[in-house]
Amino acid sequence: MDILITNAVVATCDDHRTIHAEAAIAVTGNRIVAVGPSADLERDYPRHERFDGRGLAVFPGFINAHTHTVLLALRGTIEDWPGEAIYRYMTPISYAMTGEERSVIAQLGCLEAIRSGTTTLVDPFRHVTTYAPAMAETGMRLWLTESCADIDTRRIRHGDYQVDEAFGAAFLDRATALIEGFHGSHGDRVRCQAAAHAPDNCSPRMLRAVRDMAERYGLTRTVHLSQSPGEVAAVKAAHGLTSAEYLDREDFLGPDLVAAHWTFCTEDDIRLLAARGVQMAHTPASISRRNFHRVRIGQIREAGVKVVFGTDNMSEDMFQAMAFGSIVHRTGRGRDVEGGVDPSPEQILDSVTRLAAGSVAADAEIGSIEVGKKADLTFIDLNAPALRPLIRLVSNVVHYGHPGTVHSVMTDGEFLMRDRKVLTIDEPALIREAEAVTRRVWERMIADNPDIAPPPGELRWLG
């Protein structure tokens, strides 16, 4: 698409965090070819379609650096349950779904993401080849990953941590099929990573296999790290080490690795991870829903770790991630800081734009509004009541933005949502289908797993 966006406020998120007023962005094909005063670009690009950005602010498209769209099937249930949820609900429900059902729920995640101003999802999970085409159809930019494990995650809730070579081989086969079938596909909008699910369900052999896969295909890597007390205890029992120490022993740490969560990392773990250049994918909203967030985020930031944001599960709302992240990061230093305002809103915004792009080695392509970069753009309605009065743009968006303030979304030079209408998804039909799918999957999961009951509180289908 050749389009000229005019008369907008443009928050570039470049090295200087430049903000232009009454500015224009020229897009030719899928690239930004000019940024500057509207009058100048109107003169220079007379044949481009005009898009009047009056009353709008244009940001780089938000990048959700860690999510699991399929787990939207659990929304409104386990957030209010105090027990262990990863292996008791998150794993079983993913196996209870057919490929078609995963596709429906994953598309629902994409729909929410688009309406929340997100242009890129980084989504490591399982059986990804079964729903990758449905996600790609939405027009979003994607980094997809099969999260490999060779300890059967379906058995962990029963205390069984035996290595299962056949289980692991199936994961590696699916990961290879995903990479060879989708990496660089859909006009290079879809790429892949290599992933080990977590230290408690990956043997040294599996960690080596994932590392070798990343080297063979030239991919970045990701892993869940110190995300639960159960993981920490299991790794300690099996290896006598913390999760970070175990990954380091197996030569799995490095600057190409993004590790999610870090919730139960020790001070020594943080020093080790920082020394190895590991990046952190933080999901402050999802983790904060169940109790006070205990991650040592102040020490992590002070160690110089690059921190990016994601939503993790049950939501694709990056505004929540920024708002929760600002609060958690300002209060997470383990000591009283009177009137703490560090990190700044601009630093928080960096974590969903330029730094998030760097976490998948794509900062030369996306994450800021600069000439030569891909046209992934989020348009915010500045006349939304939540954003007025408008004194400091980035502060307003970080603290008070919400999906209702998103006007339009563009990925790779094409509108996914324009004037608040999603163009790539039949929204009413998808919502109806997702509701029906979720009912079926819950019923099947409980029927197939007699030890699993719904979380406390009746499951009531109202829609």
Side-chain angles (χ1 to χ4, degrees):
M1 175 179 289
D2 295 348
I3 192 164
L4 181 63
I5 302 152
T6 61
N7 303 310
V9 177
V10 178
T12 64
C13 294
D14 64 7
D15 289 344
H16 305 289
R17 300 191 179 112
T18 307
I19 296 178
H20 301 286
E22 294 294 321
I25 304 168
V27 175
T28 300
N30 69 347
R31 298 279 177 172
I32 298 167
V33 295
V35 181
S38 286
D40 293 352
L41 270 61
E42 287 172 352
R43 179 195 64 225
D44 295 342
Y45 296 91
R47 297 182 182 276
H48 279 47
E49 176 192 343
R50 301 290 177 87
F51 179 94
D52 188 359
R54 202 178 314 272
L56 302 177
V58 187
F59 288 80
F62 299 155
I63 299 166
N64 187 338
H66 184 82
T67 188
H68 311 296
T69 49
V70 170
L71 289 179
L72 284 183
L74 296 174
R75 179 179 298 188
T77 60
I78 61 174
E79 298 94 330
D80 307 312
W81 183 65
E84 197 284 325
I86 296 169
Y87 297 120
R88 182 155 293 277
Y89 288 102
M90 295 179 184
T91 296
I93 203 162
S94 68
Y95 280 96
M97 293 183 183
T98 66
E100 182 180 355
E101 289 166 340
R102 293 187 197 103
S103 295
V104 171
I105 302 301
Q107 278 204 338
L108 179 64
C110 292
L111 173 60
E112 183 187 10
I114 292 167
R115 285 208 165 276
S116 301
T118 299
T119 56
T120 298
L121 295 176
V122 181
D123 192 340
F125 204 54
R126 58 187 70 91
H127 302 291
V128 183
T129 55
T130 66
Y131 59 90
M135 294 185 74
E137 286 173 8
T138 69
M140 296 195 72
R141 193 174 303 284
L142 305 168
W143 266 263
L144 301 177
T145 313
E146 186 78 13
S147 285
C148 296
D150 60 354
I151 293 171
D152 192 335
T153 51
R154 298 166 297 184
R155 302 295 306 168
I156 287 177
R157 72 177 190 273
H158 303 296
D160 184 351
Y161 281 91
Q162 295 183 72
V163 173
D164 185 329
E165 292 187 5
F167 185 79
F171 264 107
L172 292 170
D173 288 345
R174 291 198 301 267
T176 300
L178 178 69
I179 295 164
E180 294 186 350
F182 289 92
H183 187 58
S185 69
H186 294 81
D188 205 25
R189 277 192 298 106
V190 181
R191 298 184 188 176
C192 296
Q193 293 183 296
H197 182 189
D200 61 328
N201 55 45
C202 288
S203 71
R205 180 178 178 181
M206 177 57 78
L207 293 176
R208 287 194 295 274
V210 170
R211 188 187 63 214
D212 291 346
M213 180 179 291
E215 292 176 356
R216 183 164 65 252
Y217 291 102
L219 307 177
T220 55
R221 297 175 298 136
T222 190
V223 69
H224 296 84
L225 176 67
S226 297
Q227 64 177 329
S228 71
E231 175 206 316
V232 172
V235 174
K236 191 73 171 178
H239 306 286
L241 300 168
T242 67
S243 292
E245 291 168 342
Y246 169 52
L247 295 182
D248 191 53
R249 188 191 75 183
E250 300 305 322
D251 196 26
F252 199 76
L253 302 182
D256 65 320
L257 178 67
V258 178
H261 305 312
W262 303 37
T263 307
F264 297 95
C265 282
T266 67
E267 292 186 22
D268 287 342
D269 288 339
I270 293 167
R271 283 190 284 269
L272 171 62
L273 293 161
R276 299 289 185 262
V278 178
Q279 300 173 73
M280 177 192 190
H282 191 206
T283 60
S286 66
I287 294 177
S288 297
R289 287 191 177 95
R290 294 178 66 158
N291 54 40
F292 181 76
H293 201 315
R294 61 181 296 171
V295 68
R296 301 171 185 265
I297 194 64
Q299 296 165 25
I300 291 167
R301 295 189 73 98
E302 289 167 359
V305 174
K306 291 181 180 177
V307 181
V308 298
F309 285 169
T311 59
D312 200 19
N313 45 60
M314 282 82 81
S315 174
E316 299 302 326
D317 184 350
M318 289 302 290
F319 290 101
Q320 283 192 347
M322 287 191 285
F324 273 82
S326 179
I327 295 167
V328 169
H329 286 218
R330 288 180 175 188
T331 59
R333 279 166 162 70
R335 59 181 186 270
D336 292 333
V337 180
E338 185 68 27
V341 291
D342 179 31
S344 68
E346 288 77 13
Q347 289 172 301
I348 297 294
L349 182 62
D350 285 348
S351 290
V352 306
T353 54
R354 51 188 293 152
L355 292 181
S359 74
V360 286
D363 46 327
E365 301 172 271
I366 58 175
S368 63
I369 299 175
E370 297 181 85
V371 172
K373 291 201 172 182
K374 294 184 177 180
D376 290 9
L377 306 172
T378 291
F379 299 71
I380 302 294
D381 182 359
L382 296 179
N383 289 318
L387 300 182
R388 291 289 182 169
L390 187 58
I391 301 171
R392 296 174 64 230
L393 171 63
V394 174
S395 181
N396 276 20
V397 169
V398 167
H399 293 303
Y400 306 112
H402 58 77
T405 65
V406 179
H407 179 277
S408 299
V409 174
M410 173 183 284
T411 297
D412 220 33
E414 298 290 337
F415 280 107
L416 309 187
M417 182 169 78
R418 185 166 183 168
D419 297 327
R420 292 192 167 84
K421 179 176 175 56
V422 177
L423 305 178
T424 58
I425 298 170
D426 183 341
E427 187 167 357
L430 177 61
I431 289 173
R432 287 193 300 270
E433 190 175 9
E435 189 73 18
V437 163
T438 301
R439 295 185 191 195
R440 292 200 305 268
V441 169
W442 266 93
E443 291 168 357
R444 189 182 308 132
M445 177 180 69
I446 293 171
D448 293 347
N449 299 274
D451 63 305
I452 295 178
E458 180 184 0
L459 283 177
R460 300 181 63 192
W461 306 105
L462 303 175

